[in-house]
Amino acid sequence: MNLDSATITTLGNSLCFIDPTLMKGGAAVAQGDRMWFQGGEPYFDIIIETHDGTITWFQITLRGRVLSWHRDHNQVQTGETDEMDTPPLVAYYAASKTIRDGAAVDWCLVKTLQEIVAVREDAPLLHQLSELLQAQLSEHLVPAEEEET
């Protein structure tokens, strides 16, 4: 997923923190807290679980694409959601989202999402997420020809 810099900036600036008590089960998770950021367009959400202020898991969905990571595996995973294939009346509800894992990591998606969350330097948790994604990208060293597809 390649987006121009204006779109990346707009999407990054659109991220709003959502009251965690609005999530099913509240903010408490097994060993930490769950935070939710919602972007300014449908199907753009970031959910982050933390423990003692450190990210332990996250999932980002944008335009029918998904990126997730868990500290136990310390590797990103990408895939697709069915949100774009579902009638709007049903897709509105988060419980309707089904995720299909991709066969290989879409590093262009990882790079784009890292650039989007990097826009929000004023949000410490998103800044931490940006650094985590940048570390994953640095380990992979995305080839130039892969970036352009």
Side-chain angles (χ1 to χ4, degrees):
M1 171 182 288
N2 285 327
L3 302 175
D4 61 64
S5 60
T7 302
I8 287 170
T9 301
T10 299
L11 287 170
N13 285 326
S14 76
L15 287 165
C16 296
F17 180 74
I18 305 298
D19 181 353
T21 60
L22 297 174
M23 288 188 280
K24 186 174 180 157
V29 293
Q31 297 182 3
D33 293 316
R34 183 174 282 182
M35 312 314 165
W36 176 21
F37 293 85
Q38 193 170 54
E41 64 178 59
Y43 318 118
F44 183 26
D45 295 285
I46 300 175
I47 300 174
I48 302 171
E49 289 182 3
T50 62
H51 182 66
D52 293 332
T54 301
I55 296 174
T56 57
W57 172 86
F58 72 83
Q59 178 178 291
I60 305 172
T61 57
L62 175 64
R63 299 180 181 180
R65 310 292 295 279
V66 64
L67 167 65
S68 61
W69 173 88
H70 193 284
R71 77 169 167 200
D72 290 348
H73 308 292
N74 194 28
Q75 60 187 19
V76 293
Q77 187 169 5
T78 58
E80 299 175 340
T81 70
D82 66 349
E83 292 170 316
M84 305 300 260
D85 304 327
T86 307
L89 186 59
V90 176
Y92 178 75
Y93 299 98
S96 67
K97 186 184 309 181
T98 301
I99 295 175
R100 298 179 294 263
D101 292 331
V105 174
D106 180 347
W107 290 104
C108 293
L109 176 64
V110 177
K111 182 173 182 352
T112 299
L113 292 174
Q114 185 277 325
E115 291 172 350
I116 290 170
V117 297
V119 168
R120 291 296 304 278
E121 295 177 4
D122 61 324
L125 193 56
L126 293 177
H127 181 71
Q128 184 181 358
L129 177 57
S130 172
E131 289 178 341
L132 193 154
L133 290 172
Q134 186 58 54
Q136 291 289 314
L137 287 163
S138 295
E139 288 177 20
H140 176 69
L141 298 174
V142 179
E145 65 274 4
E146 191 174 328
E147 284 184 10
E148 296 178 12
T149 59

